[in-house]
Amino acid sequence: MRGANSYLGSIGTTIFTVMSALATEHRSINLGQGFPDTDGPADIVQAACDALRDGRNQYPPMPGVADLREAVAGANRRFYGLDIDGARDVTVTSGATEAITASLMAVVDPGDEVVLIEPLYDTYVPVVRMLGAVPRIVRLSPPHWDLPFDELADAFGANTKAILFNSPMNPCGKVFTADELGFVADLVTRHDTYAICDEVYEHLTFDGARHIPLMTLPGMRQRTMRIGSAGKTFSLTGWKVGYVTASAALTPLVQKAHQNLTFTTAPNLQRAVALGLAKDDAYFVSLSRDLQARRDQLAQGLASIGFSVLPTHGTYFLTADFAPLGFVGDDLAFCRHITEQAGVTAIPVSAFYEQPGAPRHYARFAFCKRQEVLQEAIDRLKRHFAAR
């Protein structure tokens, strides 16, 4: 038979699939993949159940049900002061990954360049390449993950069409500062490009850090596609409900891409998410406060074992340097070792790099788990490394 798609054929199984399978095999506590181990708010789940029984289970409108698009517009106004028209500026997608793909499709032609910042979410580069575009990658370095202004400026050129920008940033837990965001916005406007902003962790920030959408900066309203996720905001990752906020000029293009990807998203889930976005401020405050406590629990536990734990100001994840433990081997070997021998699973941080020369002594741990689960993971690691 003739060969199939050569690029897809060259992509291996994701590290999340590999490590999750290994965790299952060894009955390991899986702190690798980023999903909570409890359901989100009961009222949102009940709203989805009720919506299944109200006779509206056929195709919803392709851009999303009106209730959710208006709720997304309202959340933009409430949290960020953005003047958004739900009917003209919002598209509901089947998860944020589809939203990223649809947003790229809306503006990128084959041969265009897209600026990416690594370490990065593992779907970014494949989607850019499948669209025939060229990734231009800029690297952040641990432990502080500061944005290298000169390198970022050098990545923008005559062929740059967009930057795909993630803040709060997975995997390193970075929340970009106002100065860094201003620098990015200046590059986008000077080079007449677009910004696709993956902001799924927008409400998961700690230590007083405040998420600032790039869309709120001068000159960025018309150039930005802002992506949110009900999965992360309401701890319902399996629902796969995402949303794109963009200008009235870009939204029809996002929607044309969406209609050729998934076309629509489950209507009962959309209506339940609309209820969630209208929850009072206390919910959003408690979400970040509770996650910060779990971050602190895991960070303190890992530090007591001998890890060097890097700062994390947002997301579900923290990065830990295992070099002080004296382990001989790279990050993949380390993550396999603790899965098989200690019963705790993490993700090697090098998996989030595209270019050669990635650091090989860091592991990413997810802390979006119950406190008793985190404590058991700490205890297992402590017993294992004490025995070594």
Side-chain angles (χ1 to χ4, degrees), residues 244-363:
V244 184
T245 302
S247 68
L250 288 174
T251 293
L253 299 175
V254 174
Q255 291 176 357
K256 287 177 183 178
H258 167 60
Q259 77 179 7
N260 286 292
L261 289 169
T262 62
F263 182 71
T264 191
T265 301
N268 67 310
L269 302 183
Q270 292 191 55
R271 297 206 297 278
V273 171
L275 180 147
L277 287 173
K279 290 177 82 67
D280 60 26
D281 289 350
Y283 168 76
F284 296 94
V285 171
S286 67
L287 177 68
S288 61
R289 182 188 63 229
D290 292 349
L291 271 171
Q292 179 173 324
R294 297 185 218 181
R295 178 208 63 178
D296 292 345
Q297 178 188 3
L298 183 58
Q300 290 162 12
L302 293 177
S304 73
I305 295 165
F307 289 88
S308 177
V309 180
L310 277 59
T312 182
H313 299 297
T315 76
Y316 282 159
F317 311 108
L318 61 77
T319 299
D321 183 353
F322 58 83
L325 298 173
F327 179 83
V328 178
D330 65 10
D331 54 350
L332 177 57
F334 178 81
C335 290
R336 291 187 66 94
H337 173 81
I338 61 172
T339 299
E340 296 168 351
Q341 303 300 321
V344 179
T345 299
I347 298 293
V349 169
S350 64
F352 298 94
Y353 287 79
E354 176 68 15
Q355 301 178 114
R360 296 280 178 175
H361 51 98
Y362 294 102

Side-chain angles (χ1 to χ4, degrees), residues 27-51:
R27 299 183 179 179
S28 175
I29 296 173
N30 191 350
L31 302 186
Q33 203 158 4
F35 57 85
D37 56 359
T38 57
D39 271 351
D43 58 344
I44 300 178
V45 175
Q46 186 60 54
C49 296
D50 294 343

Side-chain angles (χ1 to χ4, degrees), residues 131-286:
L131 294 175
V134 179
R136 291 289 304 273
I137 298 174
V138 176
R139 176 172 295 180
L140 307 188
S141 298
H144 299 296
W145 311 107
D146 294 326
L147 185 66
F149 286 6
D150 290 344
E151 288 90 337
L152 185 65
D154 289 344
F156 278 74
N159 296 322
T160 305
K161 181 63 75 71
I163 180 172
L164 177 47
F165 186 71
N166 178 209
S167 182
M169 187 178 177
N170 172 22
C172 56
K174 177 182 175 63
V175 178
F176 283 83
T177 67
D179 286 346
E180 290 172 328
L181 292 169
F183 188 81
V184 173
D186 179 66
L187 287 172
V188 169
T189 54
R190 276 199 290 121
H191 290 272
D192 190 21
T193 63
Y194 298 97
I196 298 157
C197 296
D198 178 353
E199 300 179 13
V200 299
Y201 298 102
E202 60 185 320
H203 295 294
L204 311 184
T205 58
F206 319 125
D207 308 314
R210 187 170 69 93
H211 170 61
I212 304 171
L214 198 65
M215 182 178 275
T216 63
L217 272 64
M220 296 303 293
R221 174 67 179 86
Q222 302 303 314
R223 296 180 177 276
T224 305
M225 287 154 277
R226 196 177 92 78
I227 295 164
S229 165
K232 300 303 190 298
T233 299
F234 302 112
S235 301
L236 295 163
T237 58
W239 282 19
K240 298 297 291 178
V241 178
Y243 20 87
V244 184
T245 302
S247 68
L250 288 174
T251 293
L253 299 175
V254 174
Q255 291 176 357
K256 287 177 183 178
H258 167 60
Q259 77 179 7
N260 286 292
L261 289 169
T262 62
F263 182 71
T264 191
T265 301
N268 67 310
L269 302 183
Q270 292 191 55
R271 297 206 297 278
V273 171
L275 180 147
L277 287 173
K279 290 177 82 67
D280 60 26
D281 289 350
Y283 168 76
F284 296 94
V285 171
S286 67

